[in-house]
Amino acid sequence: MNGNTRQEPTLVLGGTGKIGRRVAERLTARGLPVRIGARSGEPRFDWEDRSTWGPVLAGVGSAYVSHYWDVIPGAAETLGGFAELAVASGVPRLVLLSGRGEEEAERAVRAVRDSGAELTVLRSTWFAQNFSESYWREQVQSNEVALPAGATPEPFVDADDIADVAVAALTDDRHVGEVYELTGPRLLTFAEAVREISRAVGREIRYVPISNEDFAAAAAAQGVPSEVVEMLTFIFGEVLDGRNAHLADGVQRALGREPRDFSDYARDAAATGIWNPRATRAA
Ligand SMILES: NC(=O)c1ccc[n+]([C@@H]2O[C@H](COP(=O)([O-])OP(=O)(O)OC[C@H]3O[C@@H](n4cnc5c(N)ncnc54)[C@H](OP(=O)(O)O)[C@@H]3O)[C@@H](O)[C@H]2O)c1
């Protein structure tokens, strides 16, 4: 059990994002109070404005910590600074979402650990939901996914599994000190993942491997902000060398069950209509 018996709220940073939103929903469904930490939250939280950090930490019992991009230069120092303030504010119980295999992400984990926090680390590979709730959804809708990812298989993990592990860690002190490597149950190349989506939606969606340069140029032409293009190309260039082409047992260890398979994700996402072709605007 968690020592947080007074039902102080749990702070969920990135609580409007892909994982944080799910963490907040799960805690709320259990009747546990939640404070969302985001620029749209109340009080407002902004990683770039340290004056907003203290107010969101006031009176909370624990925190789910997720930077909007933990591999950008300086994120490790920012995360370390936040963790120090959390510990100094009497909020030592932290659950940190991190990447898997990026040196910058590892630096961030060390910085948070150095704060002396009672820490659980979730080291996550690519989220399956990037195809439906983020970067690649519009490409699926337009029947062609073009990314700088070749034949390297990746163990895509379901955002629901990550959120389940985060909530387990936030509500049970047995997870303090654990590092959970979170992967799905199967390695898939990007082409194979897109084929699964194609099967689920019942129409052909092509996967086209492109160079990092072509990807950057196409993203810039679509109006993606330059710092985002830079970060995406950095991540694609850094982690797709096969370093993550192996499965890990983090979901099983944390939850005592197997992770969800990508085909289940694709079936359920397709059923929501999220990948329906975009309606062409009437002239
Ligand atoms: N996507 C992947 O496949 C993957 C894999 C492994 C690890 N990760 C890591 O996961 C993290 C992202 O998690 P996610 O995908 O759940 O988030 P997300 O869906 O990208 O959402 C970002 C969240 O951060 C908030 N945010 C953005 N800028 C902010 C700022 N300046 N200050 C405070 N909050 C801010 C957003 O809310 P507001 O806009 O309201 O502020 C939102 O709640 C990153 O650290 C990433 O490196 C991602």
Side-chain angles (χ1 to χ4, degrees):
M1 271 299 290
N2 192 308
N4 181 13
T5 47
R6 279 174 294 143
Q7 298 267 300
E8 295 157 316
T10 300
L11 174 62
V12 180
L13 298 186
T16 55
K18 287 185 287 300
I19 308 299
R21 177 172 57 76
R22 289 173 162 84
V23 172
E25 282 168 3
R26 282 161 168 73
L27 291 170
T28 303
R30 289 189 185 200
L32 297 171
V34 166
R35 180 179 299 161
I36 300 293
R39 291 166 302 180
S40 50
E42 182 55 50
R44 177 176 159 272
F45 172 78
D46 190 341
W47 282 109
E48 318 303 339
D49 178 359
R50 286 185 181 234
S51 72
T52 66
W53 296 5
V56 292
L57 282 165
V60 301
S62 57
Y64 164 79
V65 178
S66 165
H67 193 273
Y68 61 93
W69 236 330
D70 63 353
V71 293
I72 57 171
E77 287 70 24
T78 303
L79 277 157
F82 180 84
E84 267 177 35
L85 181 64
V87 172
S89 307
V91 190
R93 184 72 187 98
L94 304 181
V95 174
L96 174 68
L97 175 65
S98 180
R100 186 183 189 226
E102 302 108 337
E103 178 47 33
E104 275 306 299
E106 280 309 303
R107 248 170 39 78
V109 171
R110 286 195 294 275
V112 172
R113 189 171 281 131
D114 286 349
S115 70
E118 296 162 14
L119 184 63
T120 307
V121 177
L122 314 184
R123 212 181 254 157
S124 172
T125 189
W126 294 104
F127 308 159
Q129 277 75 2
N130 291 335
F131 287 103
S132 49
E133 298 175 23
S134 191
Y135 324 119
W136 314 324
R137 182 177 77 198
E138 289 185 9
Q139 297 199 38
V140 175
Q141 288 173 325
S142 63
N143 299 333
E144 182 174 294
V145 179
L147 293 170
T152 308
E154 292 288 322
F156 296 95
V157 63
D158 195 298
D160 285 325
D161 284 340
I162 303 172
D164 281 348
V165 174
V167 168
L170 287 164
T171 54
D172 190 335
D173 287 343
R174 284 178 299 180
H175 299 282
V176 172
E178 296 289 349
V179 176
Y180 292 119
E181 276 202 41
L182 305 180
T183 75
R186 199 157 53 111
L187 293 171
L188 292 166
T189 63
F190 276 69
E192 288 166 340
V194 170
R195 212 171 299 141
E196 297 268 0
I197 293 171
S198 197
R199 198 172 300 140
V201 294
R203 65 176 198 273
E204 192 192 350
I205 300 166
R206 287 184 346 116
Y207 178 70
V208 184
I210 56 174
S211 69
N212 225 345
E213 293 71 28
D214 287 349
F215 172 73
Q222 286 160 16
V224 178
S226 59
E227 66 275 12
V228 176
V229 174
E230 205 177 302
M231 201 41 52
L232 286 172
T233 51
F234 168 75
I235 292 172
F236 276 116
E238 163 118 342
V239 299
L240 284 171
D241 58 0
R243 74 183 68 181
N244 284 330
H246 57 277
L247 305 178
D249 64 355
V251 173
Q252 170 69 33
R253 276 204 302 124
L255 302 176
R257 64 160 175 81
E258 292 304 314
R260 284 185 90 213
D261 191 74
F262 192 90
S263 58
D264 296 328
Y265 151 74
R267 182 201 58 226
D268 291 351
T272 68
I274 203 158
W275 287 317
N276 290 349
R278 274 183 300 165
T280 45
R281 262 194 290 162

